[in-house]
Amino acid sequence: MDAIKKTFGEVIRQHREQQNLPLRKVAAQLDIDTSTLAKFEKNLRHPNREHITKLADMLALDEQELLVLYLSDRVAYDLVGETNSEQVLRVAEEKIKYIRSKNTVQGVLGF
């Protein structure tokens, strides 16, 4: 899937342009200025969860897929310069499982 290779910003810009939506109109709907939206599209600033929800709605995109795209961008940009990025991702995946299981046990015990 080519969309996986595209960045969050590229996908947002592509869909906005395909729908002939000017930056100013989308920015107004997000209650941000045009330059901030332009920075989202250039991957220079990070939207918050509410922005992602609104963008998904406005651009008729699946919110969860857009969120996954955004979060994977964050991880990719953090690791792009690392020579051992694949190992880091494997360890991070195991840590996520560990933290979730720990939180589940604490939740059951009422901590």
Side-chain angles (χ1 to χ4, degrees):
M1 182 178 192
D2 284 337
I4 291 174
K5 293 180 184 177
K6 291 183 180 181
T7 67
F8 173 85
E10 289 169 337
V11 169
I12 294 303
R13 182 175 341 149
Q14 176 187 0
H15 284 273
R16 180 183 60 75
E17 289 175 349
Q18 285 174 349
Q19 295 176 36
N20 295 317
L21 294 170
L23 271 171
R24 63 181 167 71
K25 284 191 177 183
V26 175
Q29 289 292 317
L30 296 175
D31 197 25
I32 59 175
D33 58 56
T34 304
S35 66
T36 300
L37 178 57
K39 288 176 183 174
F40 290 172
E41 290 185 353
K42 294 176 186 172
N43 302 298
L44 299 174
R45 284 212 42 196
H46 304 294
N48 63 36
R49 198 75 164 242
E50 183 182 343
H51 293 142
I52 293 169
T53 299
K54 287 181 178 181
L55 282 165
D57 187 49
M58 287 184 335
L59 301 174
L61 299 170
D62 181 90
E63 182 180 348
Q64 287 305 307
E65 287 181 18
L66 195 58
L67 183 60
V68 167
L69 183 61
Y70 167 72
L71 292 172
S72 65
D73 271 13
R74 300 274 312 256
V75 172
Y77 279 110
D78 282 348
L79 297 178
V80 71
E82 301 296 328
T83 58
N84 59 347
S85 58
E86 290 85 6
Q87 181 183 5
V88 171
L89 289 170
R90 283 191 297 275
V91 171
E93 186 174 24
E94 292 304 313
K95 283 187 180 181
I96 290 168
K97 290 175 187 174
Y98 169 73
I99 293 167
R100 282 185 179 155
S101 71
K102 188 174 169 183
N103 288 342
T104 301
V105 170
Q106 288 177 348
V108 171
L109 297 176
F111 292 110

